[in-house]
Amino acid sequence: MTDERSAISWADRRRPSVKWTLRIAQTVILIGLLISGAGTLLWLAKASLSTTQDIISAPWEWFPHGVHVENLAVAWNELQVGRYLGNTAIMAAGAWIANIIVTTTASYVLSILRPRWAPVFSGAILATMLIPSIVAMVPLYVTVIRVPGTQIGLLNTFWAVWLPAAASAFNILIVKRFFDAIPQEIIEAARVDGAGAFRIFWQIVLPFARPILGVVSVLAILASWKDFLWPKLVLQDPNLQPISVALPRFANTTELSVQMGAMFLGLVIPVVLFLVFQRQILRGVSMSGATKG
């Protein structure tokens, strides 16, 4: 006899009243999730193709004065959304590369090499997750203004965004958890065959870690893409600012419909990126908690 783990038994589920109650509840929950999740995106898409008058006077009507695709063209050309999206892509790509390098190497040291100080270092990494990011922003900004021990300043350079994004305690912990699940027999066999630490890392650990690295990559790119406060502080040159920082500057000087078009263009890429890789994200996160068989 199978073990029933549901709050409602299968015998009760066969009753018509319970069956239809569950179906109605599931349908209501699904509709609520669609409205809360996709409703805002659909409304933004509609607003980006509407006139300013329609957005203000009839926000819930579908195109009372027709579809205005020129809003997207004006946002792309006059507001130079393409340039700001390019800056965002450069910022996200650099942050992704830096994050992958730091995350994989740190996790490899803590999980595979396991020096004596590894537990202390793991605890320190975990402790950083308890510190609000706003608290660390002031010393980090002072460091970026002038790198300690040098006369180098990183303001108005992408390095000011790339380097702080390299260290993510959450990413290190989930990748380390994944590395812990790699059978030690494989690592020991490679060492017996004469493989060094770098060869084990490059030819054995990284190929095993492709699923979780895909998850970390998407998380790092999305986090960098939507970041606002830190790029606004360190990228004061408008020619270097990402789309998240550039859009608020247009609020008082640009027509509302064009602003909505610019917001929609800036939102399309991360949404599409998540939709394409959502299976890899969920699979990788679930595999990060796997244990040895």
Side-chain angles (χ1 to χ4, degrees):
M1 185 175 180
T2 59
D3 184 18
E4 295 182 354
R5 298 178 180 272
S6 173
I8 303 176
S9 66
W10 288 106
D12 290 335
R13 288 174 181 269
R14 296 188 184 96
R15 296 168 53 188
S17 59
V18 175
K19 182 190 299 184
W20 284 107
T21 302
L22 287 176
R23 289 183 179 179
I24 293 173
Q26 292 170 353
T27 302
V28 171
I29 293 174
L30 178 60
I31 294 175
L33 292 175
L34 288 175
I35 293 175
S36 61
T40 54
L41 300 178
L42 293 176
W43 186 88
L44 179 59
K46 192 271 296 185
S48 66
L49 301 175
S50 302
T51 63
T52 299
Q53 180 182 356
D54 291 343
I55 296 174
I56 297 175
S57 61
W60 302 113
E61 295 184 16
W62 289 95
F63 311 112
H65 294 88
V67 177
H68 294 265
V69 184
E70 64 272 11
N71 292 339
L72 302 178
V74 172
W76 185 270
N77 296 321
E78 296 186 7
L79 300 186
Q80 298 182 336
V81 171
R83 183 181 69 182
Y84 295 119
L85 286 176
N87 293 339
T88 308
I90 295 173
M91 189 179 74
W96 165 66
I97 294 173
N99 191 274
I100 287 295
I101 293 174
V102 173
T103 298
T104 54
T105 53
S107 301
Y108 177 69
V109 170
L110 297 176
S111 179
I112 306 300
L113 299 183
R114 297 179 182 177
R116 293 182 179 179
W117 44 265
V120 177
F121 192 61
S122 298
I125 293 176
L126 183 61
T128 60
M129 299 182 64
L130 305 178
I131 303 175
S133 59
I134 195 68
V135 175
M137 192 164 292
V138 172
L140 186 60
Y141 184 75
V142 173
T143 302
V144 167
I145 292 177
R146 180 172 295 178
V147 178
T150 69
Q151 298 296 323
I152 301 175
L154 300 180
L155 286 180
N156 286 322
T157 67
F158 286 115
W159 290 103
V161 180
W162 294 341
L163 295 181
S168 172
F170 176 76
N171 289 348
I172 291 175
L173 290 178
I174 63 173
V175 174
K176 176 185 177 299
R177 184 72 179 272
F178 191 92
F179 285 1
D180 290 340
I182 298 177
Q184 285 295 317
E185 293 79 6
I186 298 177
I187 307 298
E188 295 298 331
R191 289 171 177 167
V192 171
D193 291 340
F198 179 78
R199 185 178 178 185
I200 293 175
F201 172 72
W202 187 257
Q203 296 186 354
I204 297 178
V205 175
L206 287 185
F208 266 102
R210 287 178 181 175
I212 196 63
L213 292 184
V215 175
V216 171
S217 298
V218 175
L219 293 179
I221 292 174
L222 291 179
S224 179
W225 196 280
K226 68 181 182 179
D227 196 10
F228 168 75
L229 183 56
W230 182 249
K232 181 177 177 61
L233 290 176
V234 298
L235 297 177
Q236 300 171 0
D237 184 358
N239 294 323
L240 298 176
Q241 291 177 347
I243 188 69
S244 61
V245 178
L247 284 178
R249 291 194 289 107
F250 306 138
N252 298 325
T253 59
T254 308
E255 196 172 345
L256 182 59
S257 59
V258 178
Q259 293 182 41
M260 292 299 168
M263 291 176 61
F264 178 73
L265 291 174
L267 190 65
V268 166
I269 295 179
V271 170
V272 172
L273 188 66
F274 176 79
L275 292 177
V276 171
F277 294 102
Q278 60 177 332
R279 290 186 178 180
Q280 287 81 353
I281 294 175
L282 296 177
R283 186 188 311 163
V285 171
S286 62
M287 292 179 69
S288 68
T291 55
K292 299 177 184 177

